[in-house]
Amino acid sequence: TNATGSQYSQQLNGSEGLPAPITATRGTFTQSYTWRVNTDYTVAPTMLLHLGAGFVFYPFNDNAPTLDYDSTKSLGLVGATVLGAAGGRFPQITGLCQTGASPACTGFGGTANMGPGAQARSFLTTPTGNTSLSWVKDNHTYKFGAEVRVQGFEGKYFTGTNGQYAFSSGQTAQPYIGSSTVGGGNLGFPYASFLLGQVNNGLINSFSTARTGKTQWGFFAQDNWKITRKLTLDYGLRYDYSTYPREQYGRLPTLSPTLANPTAGGHPGGTTFEGDGAGHCNCSFAKNYPFAFGPRIGLAYQINSKTVLRAGYGLIYNGTPGVGQTNAASNNPFLAPNFYTAALTLQNGIPSNYVSPWPSFDPGKYPLISNPAGLAGPPVVVDQNAGRPARQGTWSIGLQRELSRNLVVEASYVGNRGVWWPSSGLNNYNALTPQILASYGLDVNSAADRAILRGTVGTAAAGRFQNKFPYAGFPTTATVAQSLRVYPQFASGLSPLWSPQGKTWYDSLQMKVTQRFSHGLDFTYTFTYQKELVLGADSDSAGLGGSGAVNDVFNRNTNKQISSFSRPLVSVIAVNYRLPALGGNKYLSFAARDWTLGAVLQYASGVPILSPSGQKNLNTLYFRNTFANRVAGVNPFLKDLNCHCLDPDKDLVLNPAAWQDPADGQFGTAAAYYNDYRYQRRPSENINFGRVFRIREKMSLSMRMEFSNIFNRTQMANPTVGNALAATTRNASTTVLTGGFGFINRGSVFSTPRQGTGVVRFSF
């Protein structure tokens, strides 16, 4: 069992010092409970049965200091959906500063934000079970087994149940001007709007709870066959079956490409839900993959008494994405009808039409009925292949050679190819293409057509598309490009959730040297030379990493790129030493012996830097971004990041001349990453020492100290990247750099100073 709790923490929860219940701080409280039981039974002298079961329970509470606030009794604010002992919180009040951010309030005055923001309670449960049967027969060792894992995540959401209210200067500015600034001066005062109770925008949610779950099964059979004294063959087959995460009662929304959307005047693109009932499709959003068979084979051959050849191949299936917080919670924002009119007045309470019941299965739920002009899309679009687990074929071949009694060297080639990794960046259901634009007689190579696409449909800038709306109620302030999208009622790209379209490629040469010295000292050195490529794989899925940076989703294969975590050269040194028993005094010997000292030192290439973005606003034409073009033959660095000669006050380290914006309306030709464009190398140097004291047969005490960044290296922050055209700025009085492409902020560091952690464990 582990438990942590922090109600007031500047680092974790942004405590600003305001008292309960008005403080915006929230506490984090976590517990972790793990139960396991295992038993082994000898069925026969050559047969062993293993049975195991476990249960993991992980509750998490994101709590305000006051959980029983009654805004009706204390504030006279009526209409909140949760009050008092049911889980009432103080309302969230924001926007009270003319300038500045909470907790500081500068400029014209005001006050810091008040009330806690997003809050939830969640429970992750994972029961597991496994069984295996091992059977030794002649020169075969057979093993059969199965395992099951069931994941469930339940979330209880209190965000906005007492209301979130944002104030602006509009309600106390001059209504006929339609702006809060005139000639550089400010009109209106957010804090005055607050004193009048004139709310500009916010939300009021109903309490909601949702639960997602998935199941994963696995079965395997394998044989370790010792064919001869020198040759051993391992072969087997594993079958995995995983379900995609589903909300227990079908309350997770997704886009239906054919369902009429009443909020968008009947235009296709309504919201649908799983399950059986009103507003449900009575269907499954995705299909589970039933053919995850993974054969494995490996062999070991002793060439001579000091040399062994090993090789193997396996087809491995990952599980489907894990369960977590759903997007099926309540979400009911409201907005002022115009610049100067309040959305509501606090003294009159919350209008009943601002409060929507939960759950709601309205096909016109998105865009939000309270703000259809916001063009907000559904929170998720579930991919129809979300139940397909990632597959990876992996292989290796290597030699191990004993050079002397205590010196062993190894060299291996290790590679793999992966497909079907979850990757949201490779799809954009709502992007424009040259073909779509051509069907309307538009060409982005024409400056006139680009101006039309960027013009708003309610103005003359829209040209022949002026006042041509895709449906009644479409906002006149939206662009022509937005009106021509497949689903013009949504401003997002509708990238699908759990889309299995990522790919990975990995090849490496791995070498290892192990030297055992006398008196308990051993030394290991490993060196890896590797190449890691990905196609849109998300960093949390493939294990190799991938930024999700995609240049053109409709030319998918052009996005094969270096992994964002790529490090071609990696060296690791590991040293371990155990103190021997001392002669003489037995008490001194007992106190000193068996302490172990270990060190792990890693030195590797820096990870790649993402290429700068193009600055021609291609997103306003295609709703897709692109990279700046790499200029051939130009060094992308002004200073070597590893030279130990940088002065962040004077030196910009990246070269803007190495990048050039593509022409307006054109995609760039640059890759997302380049091998010669990397952040600085960052060593990882850790040591530890400890000992296990054996008190009696079933009782022991272990003590351990672990130190990271043992040499206390100060590592500079990464330079500013992204926009090669960013202006260079300096302090007017000191001329010290304060910004620009390649600027390193000396006010922060990349890694923490040397840290130590002590661990004491008593086992019985």
Side-chain angles (χ1 to χ4, degrees), residues 692-696 698-703 759-764:
V692 178
F693 294 90
R694 304 290 179 186
I695 301 174
R696 59 179 64 172
K698 296 183 178 181
M699 189 179 296
S700 64
L701 175 69
S702 63
M703 303 177 64
V759 179
V760 178
R761 175 178 293 177
F762 178 65
S763 303
F764 60 94

Side-chain angles (χ1 to χ4, degrees), residues 673-748:
Y673 298 102
Y674 289 89
N675 256 325
D676 64 345
Y677 190 51
R678 294 177 175 272
Y679 292 110
Q680 70 182 95
R681 298 185 293 269
R682 301 193 181 279
S684 174
E685 298 156 324
N686 308 314
I687 69 168
N688 62 80
F689 68 88
R691 180 182 170 183
V692 178
F693 294 90
R694 304 290 179 186
I695 301 174
R696 59 179 64 172
E697 182 180 357
K698 296 183 178 181
M699 189 179 296
S700 64
L701 175 69
S702 63
M703 303 177 64
R704 185 178 181 87
M705 283 294 298
E706 301 174 349
F707 294 92
S708 59
N709 191 13
I710 187 61
F711 299 120
N712 204 28
R713 294 180 185 265
T714 300
Q715 298 187 9
M716 294 185 301
N718 284 330
T720 301
V721 300
N723 180 8
L725 302 180
T728 299
T729 58
R730 299 178 182 272
N731 184 289
S733 58
T734 65
T735 70
V736 169
L737 284 168
T738 57
F741 183 62
F743 165 70
I744 296 177
N745 183 6
R746 66 175 303 171
S748 61

Side-chain angles (χ1 to χ4, degrees), residues 548-690:
V550 175
N551 199 27
D552 185 352
V553 295
F554 294 110
N555 292 288
R556 187 171 298 157
N557 290 331
T558 64
N559 296 292
K560 183 178 179 180
Q561 61 197 29
I562 298 171
S563 163
S564 63
F565 294 152
S566 166
R567 297 189 300 172
L569 303 175
V570 180
S571 290
V572 179
I573 300 169
V575 181
N576 290 282
Y577 177 63
R578 180 186 292 272
L579 286 171
L582 303 177
N585 188 297
K586 65 178 183 179
Y587 298 105
L588 179 61
S589 177
F590 174 79
R593 75 186 186 201
D594 296 333
W595 286 91
T596 59
L597 175 66
V600 178
L601 312 175
Q602 183 185 92
Y603 306 94
S605 308
V607 296
I609 304 174
L610 185 66
S611 296
S613 299
Q615 301 300 311
K616 295 292 187 180
N617 293 323
L618 187 70
N619 191 55
T620 60
L621 302 174
Y622 283 126
F623 302 98
R624 291 175 280 163
N625 291 316
T626 191
F627 298 117
N629 294 330
R630 177 83 181 261
V631 179
V634 179
N635 190 337
F637 293 101
L638 297 173
K639 285 276 190 174
D640 183 353
L641 290 176
N642 300 295
C643 71
H644 303 286
C645 60
L646 301 178
D647 184 347
D649 289 343
K650 301 177 181 179
D651 298 328
L652 294 173
V653 297
L654 303 181
N655 187 2
W659 306 96
Q660 187 178 51
D661 249 13
D664 192 10
Q666 303 300 312
F667 283 97
T669 58
Y673 298 102
Y674 289 89
N675 256 325
D676 64 345
Y677 190 51
R678 294 177 175 272
Y679 292 110
Q680 70 182 95
R681 298 185 293 269
R682 301 193 181 279
S684 174
E685 298 156 324
N686 308 314
I687 69 168
N688 62 80
F689 68 88

Side-chain angles (χ1 to χ4, degrees), residues 246-252 272-285 361:
R246 302 182 68 176
E247 207 284 321
Q248 185 175 16
Y249 297 108
R251 295 173 294 198
L252 183 69
T272 188
F273 304 81
E274 289 182 321
D276 184 14
H280 292 66
C281 67
N282 191 23
C283 65
S284 296
F285 287 162
F361 301 113

Side-chain angles (χ1 to χ4, degrees), residues 71-123:
S71 56
T72 300
K73 292 181 179 179
S74 301
L75 301 176
L77 177 63
V78 298
T81 59
V82 176
L83 299 171
R89 273 82 162 160
F90 189 85
Q92 185 182 20
I93 299 173
T94 60
L96 304 184
C97 287
Q98 184 80 29
T99 60
S102 177
C105 200
T106 59
F108 294 91
T111 188
N113 295 336
M114 294 182 287
Q119 294 187 69
R121 297 174 184 171
S122 62
F123 310 91

